[in-house]
């Protein structure tokens, strides 16, 4: 009796006091899964060191004075427990092992082994802990020891992040739990684990069980919030219950400091149901009520995501992403990807707004002008009418309020709902966003006069200066009124502003389409390269090639689409691969597709070309053009590389010295088209511009004079509109017509609007005119010639050079009529 009620009893009571002190050390974060037991550490152990010493003392005295008592083993367990709490691991292990070896009471041995498991867990010695509980699983345990074993195993698996086995052991312990085991907390943890594992219904049930135990306040609060996260939204009863709980939580004054969290969870609840506007409103209220930066930042982030993904309001999305980044800590989940999206949203807004604006302008440009003007006038008139009605309503409310209460004319005293929607400080969402943006720019600044001034002394001195005389003030007010009156007299014609932007000419329409094309490409690259959102990238790329099948970006886009779908294992990858090979066989992207090591190999080849190029350029400078051409051909045999454009330009420079100026200019123009982003493009543009300017001066000095030379070589020429896109069809038809004859067919761009296909190989005027007659009789009435407007004529080689340089089409047609038509000969 003495061993039980003196030594053991007081040792056990003191141990329970220490345990309560340890439990208080738990630093819970209910947004994460709570720890089942607190971690023991030496710093905390120093606080209750006297208590653990007292436990050992009381239990040891009982053992010494009553060595034959049946409570000796229980006292040894208390000694071991005191050493465990004191972080004296080795002595604790020895004590529990001693009890297991010496005690004849199975329950005491099992109790000692359960504490031994805890000691091994605290030491992070998981292998030996597992050996002990594997042994105990084969033993027949009392209910108390069985419950404690389940809890220790659950703690073991929690530290190993094996939540599946953790929750299984907690579920097994459920029926054995007593109120003193803090059932509510354990049920809350089970709910958290089920929620993490994706079992929403089970999580909901355990949160509900947690509330029934009347747990401590914070657990109760977060259990209600978490129920909203896992509620079955197909069950109307659940939705109704959750809404009631939110109302109750907001009404409870104890939750004043948690309002941000409540509003955030309300936003999450509405978002999951697809109530986007309601969700946004709650997130904004959360941000306004927010004191915890993480929650406030999360609310800004969610709002930005909804504006971006659901409402497609990218300007607003950017503003909220900016605020989110300024509020969220850098250890926030996926912070890097959030930061990346925030950084590129500026470009994103630019691309998407370009597409929407230019498409809208093109659609309006296709409408009847008078009908469009009427529609725009009607839209803006309705808008003006609504704004006027709103202003009148606001003025009326203010007047009524002013008549009933002089103070009510001041917005700070006006609580009328119809007014607060218009007044800035009556709109909680606007205030929340404004407050956060102010803090982001200026930081936490004290509310005081002249807060923006670095030196307030100057302001204080300025305030003592003599104010303006009443007459001066009156003059200023009068001028301001006059300015306002003038503005009101000249209303802005919004419809005219839009009509002025419409693309009317073909050139303006082409510019608008080019902007859309570049915006789709930029948007696709932004998704693909910066945001790593490959599905969205594929959508943008596919829209690009669908709307602009002849886009200059098509080879690159097809290759990127191939990579995206190949990564997904989609059969579309093969389709895009084949399209790239068929439509762009000479593209760099096709070569990379066929040979993934292409770039690596071409870099070696390019180095070889550079060495040969030095010799070729030296020969060119020395005037040895034939040797230079031979070296260029030798370098080209190495293959197509990134250095090939230098070789091509050198060949064009040789052409300028050995061929007609027309051919030189044509090759320069083709070079610029072939390498629009090349490093040599500016130089080629400069050479072409200089050559054209030289020609213009020469022609101006000589005048445009076509010369009749019937015995000179002649060309047959066909001119047609470039926009008709029939160059290939014309060339094919003419080559078929020429079959069996020693004639050569060539196509060129004559101007931005016209293209020319010409046939060479006629010795004189007679041969060329006979060909022209046959063409008119046999080919001109067939497609594509019968479907389009053409200019057909013959021309001497020298006249063609002059004609191509000067673009003097009308002059030559007049010359042709005078000198080539039979009735004028």
């Amino acid at each position: 009796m003495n061993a039980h009620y003196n030594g053991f009893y007081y040792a056990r009571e003191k141990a329970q006091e220490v345990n309560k002190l340890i439990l208080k050390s738990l630093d819970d974060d209910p947004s994460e899964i709570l720890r089942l037991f607190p971690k023991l550490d030496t710093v905390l152990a120093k606080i209750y060191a006297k208590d653990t010493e007292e436990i050992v003392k009381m239990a040891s005295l009982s053992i010494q004075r009553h060595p034959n008592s049946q409570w000796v083993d229980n006292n040894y367990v208390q000694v071991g427990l005191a050493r465990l709490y004191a972080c004296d691991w080795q002595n604790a292990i020895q004590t529990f092992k001693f009890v297991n070896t010496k005690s004849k009471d199975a329950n005491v041995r099992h109790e000692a082994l359960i504490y031994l498991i805890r000691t091994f867990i605290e030491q992070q010695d998981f292998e030996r802990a597992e050996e002990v509980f594997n042994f105990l699983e084969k033993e027949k345990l009392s209910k108390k020891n069985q419950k404690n074993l389940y809890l220790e195993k659950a703690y073991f698996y929690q530290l190993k992040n094996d939540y599946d086995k953790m929750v299984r052991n907690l579920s097994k312990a459920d029926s054995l739990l007593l109120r003193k085991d803090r059932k509510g907390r354990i049920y809350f943890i089970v709910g958290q684990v089920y929620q993490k594992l994706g079992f929403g219904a089970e999580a909901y049930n355990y949160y509900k069980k947690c509330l029934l135990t009347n747990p401590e306040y914070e657990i109760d609060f977060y259990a209600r919030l978490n129920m909203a996260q896992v509620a079955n939204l197909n069950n109307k009863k659940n939705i109704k219950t959750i809404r009631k709980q939110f109302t109750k939580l907001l009404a409870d004054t104890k939750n004043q400091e948690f309002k941000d969290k409540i509003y955030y969870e309300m936003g999450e609840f509405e978002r999951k149901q697809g109530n986007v506007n309601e969700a946004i409103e709650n997130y904004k209220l959360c941000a306004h009520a927010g004191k915890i930066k993480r929650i406030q930042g999360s609310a800004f982030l969610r709002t930005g995501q909804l504006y971006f993904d659901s409402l497609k309001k990218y300007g607003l999305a950017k503003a909220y992403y900016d605020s989110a980044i300024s509020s969220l800590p850098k250890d926030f989940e996926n912070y890097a990807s959030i930061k990346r999206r925030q950084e590129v949203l500026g470009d994103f807004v630019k691309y998407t707004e370009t597409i929407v604006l230019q498409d809208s302008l093109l659609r309006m440009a296709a409408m009847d002008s008078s009908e469009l003007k009427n529609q725009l006038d009607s839209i803006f008139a309705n808008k003006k009418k609504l704004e006027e009605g709103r202003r009148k309503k606001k003025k009326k409310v203010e007047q009524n309020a002013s008549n009933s209460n002089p103070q009510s004319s001041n917005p700070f005293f006006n609580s009328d709902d119809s007014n607060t929607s218009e007044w800035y400080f009556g709109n909680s969402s606007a205030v929340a966003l404004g407050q956060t943006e102010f803090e982001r720019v200026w930081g936490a600044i004290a509310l005081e006069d002249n807060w923006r001034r670095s030196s307030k002394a100057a302001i204080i001195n300025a305030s003592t200066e003599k104010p303006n005389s009443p007459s001066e003030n009156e003059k200023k007010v009068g001028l301001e009124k006059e300015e306002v009156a003038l503005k009101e007299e000249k209303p802005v014609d919004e419809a005219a502003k839009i009509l002025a932007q419409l693309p009317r000419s073909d050139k303006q329409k082409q510019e608008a389409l080019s902007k859309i094309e570049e915006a789709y490409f930029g948007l696709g690259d932004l998704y693909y390269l910066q945001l790593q959102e490959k599905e969205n990238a594929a959508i943008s790329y596919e829209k690009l090639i669908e709307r602009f099948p002849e886009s200059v970006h098509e080879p690159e886009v097809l290759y990127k689409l191939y990579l995206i779908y190949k990564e997904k294992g989609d059969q579309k990858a093969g389709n895009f691969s084949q399209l790239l090979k068929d439509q762009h066989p000479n593209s760099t992207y096709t070569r990379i597709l066929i040979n993934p090591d292409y770039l690596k190999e071409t870099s070696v080849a390019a180095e070889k070309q550079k060495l040969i190029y030095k010799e070729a350029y030296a020969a060119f400078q020395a005037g040895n053009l034939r040797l230079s051409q031979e070296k260029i051909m030798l370098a080209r045999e190495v293959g197509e590389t990134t250095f090939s454009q230098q070789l091509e330009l050198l060949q064009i420079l040789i052409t300028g010295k050995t061929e007609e100026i027309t051919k030189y200019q044509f090759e320069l123009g083709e070079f610029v088209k072939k390498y629009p982003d090349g490093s040599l493009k500016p130089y080629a543009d400069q050479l072409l511009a200089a050559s054209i300017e030289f020609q213009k001066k020469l022609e101006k000095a000589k005048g445009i004079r076509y010369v009749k030379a019937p015995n000179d070589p002649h060309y047959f020429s066909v001119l047609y509109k470039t926009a008709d896109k029939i160059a290939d069809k014309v060339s094919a038809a003419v080559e078929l017509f020429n079959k069996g004859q020693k004639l050569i067919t060539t196509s060129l761009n004559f101007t931005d609007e016209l293209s020319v296909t010409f046939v060479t190989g006629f010795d004189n005027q007679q041969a060329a005119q006979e060909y022209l007659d046959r063409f008119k009789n046999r080919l001109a009435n067939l497609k594509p010639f019968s479907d389009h407007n053409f200019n057909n004529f013959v021309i001497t080689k020298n006249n063609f050079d002059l004609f191509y340089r000067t673009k003097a089409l009308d002059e030559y047609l007049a010359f042709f009529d005078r000198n080539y038509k039979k009735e004028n000969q």
Side-chain angles (χ1 to χ4, degrees), residues 150 154 162-174 190 193-194 197:
Y150 286 142
D162 188 342
Y163 293 109
D164 182 44
K165 289 182 179 178
M166 175 191 177
V167 80
R168 287 185 189 182
N169 281 283
L170 289 176
S171 299
K172 289 176 182 178
D174 185 1
V190 175
V193 176
Y194 273 128
L197 295 176

Side-chain angles (χ1 to χ4, degrees), residues 282-523:
N282 282 304
Y283 289 135
K284 287 178 179 178
L285 289 169
C286 165
H288 181 47
K291 295 179 180 177
I292 301 173
K293 285 291 185 181
R294 181 180 287 269
I295 296 175
Q296 189 182 52
S298 298
F300 284 134
L301 176 62
R302 281 286 192 226
T303 309
Q305 288 171 340
L306 289 176
Y307 275 128
F308 185 93
D309 297 321
S310 301
L311 300 180
K312 310 298 181 187
K313 294 183 178 180
Y314 301 114
L316 284 170
K318 175 171 171 34
Y320 278 99
Y321 265 95
D322 289 344
S323 298
I325 287 299
S326 68
S327 300
L328 290 172
K330 292 187 178 178
D331 62 350
F332 188 81
E333 185 180 5
N334 296 325
Y335 180 87
S337 62
I338 296 166
K339 175 76 172 169
R340 191 162 54 244
R341 174 172 277 203
Q342 178 257 342
E343 287 171 347
V344 302
L345 265 175
D347 287 337
F348 191 95
V349 171
K350 181 180 74 175
Y351 294 140
T352 51
E353 287 183 352
T354 296
I355 293 168
V356 172
L357 174 63
Q358 297 304 325
D359 272 337
S360 300
L361 292 175
L362 286 168
R363 279 197 297 272
M364 286 190 284
M367 295 172 65
D368 178 71
S369 297
S370 59
E371 182 185 346
L372 175 62
K373 181 72 165 63
N374 291 336
Q375 286 189 20
L376 289 173
D377 286 339
S378 175
I379 290 167
F380 287 115
N382 289 335
K383 183 180 176 183
K384 187 177 180 181
K385 190 176 178 181
L386 287 171
E387 289 175 353
E388 188 64 30
R390 216 176 280 127
R391 279 197 295 270
K392 285 180 179 178
K393 185 178 178 182
K394 180 182 177 183
K395 189 175 180 182
K396 187 176 179 181
V397 169
E398 288 175 351
Q399 285 175 348
N400 292 339
S402 178
N403 293 334
S404 61
N405 181 5
Q407 281 187 331
S408 63
S409 62
N410 187 329
F412 283 98
F413 297 101
N414 193 342
S415 60
D416 192 289
D417 291 340
S418 62
N419 189 35
T420 55
S421 63
E422 296 295 329
W423 183 50
Y424 173 81
F425 287 102
N427 187 332
S428 58
S429 302
V431 172
L433 187 60
Q435 183 180 14
T436 307
E437 186 65 13
F438 180 89
E439 288 181 3
R440 184 177 71 82
V441 175
W442 298 102
I445 293 176
L447 184 61
E448 58 183 8
D449 290 341
N450 308 315
W451 58 269
R452 201 173 173 181
R453 302 282 183 174
S454 59
S455 174
K456 298 186 175 66
I459 306 304
I460 294 167
N461 293 334
S463 66
T464 62
E465 292 177 4
K466 185 178 179 180
N468 289 338
S469 66
S471 59
E472 289 173 340
N473 288 332
E474 286 170 6
K475 286 178 184 177
K476 285 186 177 181
V477 171
L479 287 171
E480 288 172 1
K481 286 182 178 177
E482 285 178 15
E483 288 174 4
V484 171
L486 286 170
K487 287 179 182 178
E488 289 177 353
E489 286 172 9
K490 297 179 181 178
V492 178
D493 190 345
E494 297 289 347
K497 284 173 67 179
I498 291 177
L499 291 170
Q501 297 180 59
L502 298 184
R504 298 291 188 185
S505 67
D506 290 342
K507 185 178 180 182
Q508 288 174 328
K509 289 176 182 177
Q510 191 57 49
E511 286 175 356
L513 289 169
S514 297
K515 289 177 182 177
I516 296 171
E517 179 185 348
E518 292 302 320
Y520 271 122
F521 181 71
L523 196 59

Side-chain angles (χ1 to χ4, degrees), residues 521-651:
F521 181 71
L523 196 59
D525 274 0
L526 190 148
Y527 273 127
Y528 185 60
L529 300 173
Q530 294 180 270
L531 294 178
Q532 304 295 315
E533 297 177 15
K534 294 181 181 177
E535 288 188 10
N536 287 329
I539 291 170
S540 294
Y541 286 144
E542 288 182 44
K543 282 183 180 176
L544 170 63
I545 58 177
E546 179 186 341
R547 288 192 61 178
F548 305 97
E550 296 183 5
S551 170
V552 293
H553 301 298
E554 189 178 51
E556 183 177 353
V557 167
L558 289 173
Y559 180 68
K560 286 174 180 174
L561 284 169
Y562 159 75
L563 292 177
I564 290 168
Y565 285 111
K566 182 186 176 186
E567 187 177 325
K568 291 169 64 178
D570 194 310
Q571 63 180 9
K572 281 187 176 181
N575 299 338
F576 288 116
S577 169
Q578 196 59 46
L579 274 173
L580 181 57
K581 292 175 185 175
D582 292 344
Q583 296 181 12
H584 307 279
N586 298 320
S587 166
T588 301
Y589 294 98
T590 307
R591 294 188 173 106
I592 295 171
L593 178 69
I594 296 168
N595 177 16
D597 295 328
Y598 170 74
L599 291 177
K600 185 178 178 181
E601 292 173 2
T602 53
S603 64
V604 176
E607 292 302 318
K608 292 181 181 177
Q609 286 182 333
K610 288 177 184 178
L611 294 173
I612 301 172
Y613 175 82
K614 286 181 181 179
E615 297 176 10
Y617 190 72
F620 173 79
Q621 286 184 312
N624 192 344
L625 302 182
R626 183 178 294 278
L627 177 61
S628 181
Q629 278 187 311
E630 289 174 358
K631 293 292 182 182
I632 291 170
M633 290 175 64
L634 181 63
R636 283 187 165 182
E637 287 174 4
V638 174
E640 189 77 20
T641 71
T642 53
F643 192 73
S644 296
Q645 57 177 308
Q646 276 86 344
L647 297 170
E648 287 185 38
L649 188 57
L650 182 57
Q651 179 62 59

